[in-house]
């Protein structure tokens, strides 16, 4: 929600409507004059000066942005939201608000392009990034010692699905005088509400679950802090990080089904995680809502359900791993996640290729780790796809792989 006047016809208390209703009805302030049920795409770069909506130029705002910002702020329980051209643009907006010498304390397992942006862009401008394993509570005192201005976590993390105690990290961050940012991309606004748990900023790639159809790019940051909102709105226009109106329209359309999609992603992923842990060619399954996951109790407390992402360490060679991924039919081998269609990716050569091999090895991203984004197809079809692909892997006929020691988490 930006500072412009809102004519939202659902300006009543948000407690009155549930998440799915708000996802569909909030932010409908385009329709007063025409009665259109679906908003137009405002394909205009500029606006007549002095218009009642306060718009001037699409780099600094557009009716489509305003509608989406209102809906996202509402769904994240935030006062404000700012939309960007991608998740990476949203990350850029936050870090570009810092100054040389500022310290950011980040979780050591983060999305590869976030790591690359920190290391290859912002460190050059003097922002100092330090890394920590935030699943180890013994490390929390470092949050005070390092004197960060910003603490940066993902939960669950990409790709290892570590679950971080947002409430605890928020307490320590605020004690240190730092803001806490949670990258909420893997959970989505439906499954997890970082601001209610004490985070200062909730950032997410709307390319993923929010849009949900792999047809557009976007990012957003939600906050209750006016000072951060000012910085983010400034970054949107001053750095040219604004999205395109059509992409924003597509995200808004996708968002209407977020609740129902997430429930199906979750149901399918839990079924597949259970299946995978019985497969002899799988060494470990990483899925926070399996009771064998080390942060299962935290995950069930902090998130409404599990999301659609599963990671698995395979009991195969590197070549067999690639062969398996190439043999899948319903799981497309591709970057990205969070769409209705199932995808699979090989983090070491794809999403996390920009992370140096020694760092990958230290945090646990091996050459035989795969990441599934489980879609909303029929779960039995997805399981059959995995079974067929596994059978097609050379030298992986029954009995060729010794029985696995069960150690999934
Ligand atoms: C956790 C996380 N944050 C941010 C991003 C960046 O989003 P985008 O691809 O929209 O720039 C991604 C992309 O995969 C991601 O996984």
């Amino acid at each position: 929600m930006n500072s412009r006047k809102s004519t939202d016809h659902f300006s009543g208390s948000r407690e009155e409507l549930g998440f799915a209703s708000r996802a569909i009805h909030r932010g409908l302030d385009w329709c007063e004059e025409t009665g259109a049920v679906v908003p137009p795409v405002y394909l205009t770069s500029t606006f007549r000066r002095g218009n009642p909506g306060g718009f001037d130029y699409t780099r600094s705002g557009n009716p489509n942005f305003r509608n989406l910002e209102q809906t996202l702020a509402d769904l994240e329980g935030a006062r404000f939201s700012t939309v960007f051209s991608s998740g990476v643009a949203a990350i850029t907006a936050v870090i570009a608000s810092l100054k040389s010498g500022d310290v950011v304390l980040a979780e050591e397992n983060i999305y590869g392009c976030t790591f690359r942006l920190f290391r290859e862009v912002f460190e050059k401008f003097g922002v100092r990034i330090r890394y920590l394993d935030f699943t180890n509570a013994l490390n929390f005192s470092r949050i005070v010692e390092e004197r960060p201005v910003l603490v940066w976590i993902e939960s669950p993390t990409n790709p290892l699905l570590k679950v971080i105690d947002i409430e605890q990290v928020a307490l320590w961050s605020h004690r240190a005088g730092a803001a806490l940012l949670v990258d909420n991309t893997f959970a989505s606004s439906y499954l997890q509400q970082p601001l209610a748990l004490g985070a200062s900023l909730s950032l997410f790639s709307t390319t993923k679950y929010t849009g949900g159809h792999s047809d557009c790019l976007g990012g957003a940051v939600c906050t209750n802090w006016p000072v951060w909102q000012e910085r983010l709105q400034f970054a949107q226009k001053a750095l040219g990080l604004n999205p395109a109106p059509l992409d924003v329209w597509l995200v808004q359309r996708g968002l209407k089904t977020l609740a129902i999609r997430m429930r199906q992603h979750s149901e399918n992923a839990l079924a597949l995680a259970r299946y995978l842990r019985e497969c002899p060619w799988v060494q470990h399954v990483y899925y926070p809502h399996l009771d064998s996951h080390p942060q299962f109790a935290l995950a069930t407390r902090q998130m409404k359900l599990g999301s659609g992402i599963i990671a698995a360490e395979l009991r195969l060679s590197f070549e067999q791993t690639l062969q398996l991924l190439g043999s899948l039919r319903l799981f497309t081998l591709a970057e990205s996640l969070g769409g209705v269609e199932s995808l699979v990716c090989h983090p070491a050569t794809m999403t996390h290729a920009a992370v140096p091999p020694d760092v990958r090895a230290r945090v646990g991203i091996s050459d035989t780790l795969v990441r599934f984004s489980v879609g909303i197809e029929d779960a039995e079809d997805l399981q059959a796809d995995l079974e067929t692909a596994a059978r097609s892997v050379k030298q992986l006929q029954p009995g060729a792989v010794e029985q696995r020691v069960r150690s999934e988490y």
Side-chain angles (χ1 to χ4, degrees), residues 108-139:
E108 63 180 12
N109 170 214
I110 49 174
Y111 173 48
C113 296
T114 308
F115 182 88
R116 180 176 61 193
L117 196 54
F118 286 171
R119 187 174 158 123
E120 293 182 30
V121 180
F122 287 106
E123 286 200 6
K124 281 200 308 212
F125 293 98
V127 176
R128 291 180 292 159
I129 320 283
R130 306 276 180 269
Y131 294 94
L132 204 61
D133 173 5
F134 279 89
T135 53
N136 182 352
L138 295 176
N139 286 336

Side-chain angles (χ1 to χ4, degrees), residues 4 21 58 82 92 117 124 130 217 238 242 255 257 259 276 288 313 326 381 386:
R4 291 182 208 101
S21 308
T58 282
T82 307
T92 301
L117 196 54
K124 281 200 308 212
R130 306 276 180 269
L217 293 179
N242 59 285
L255 181 56
T257 54
L276 283 167
E313 182 63 51
D381 293 336
L386 287 166

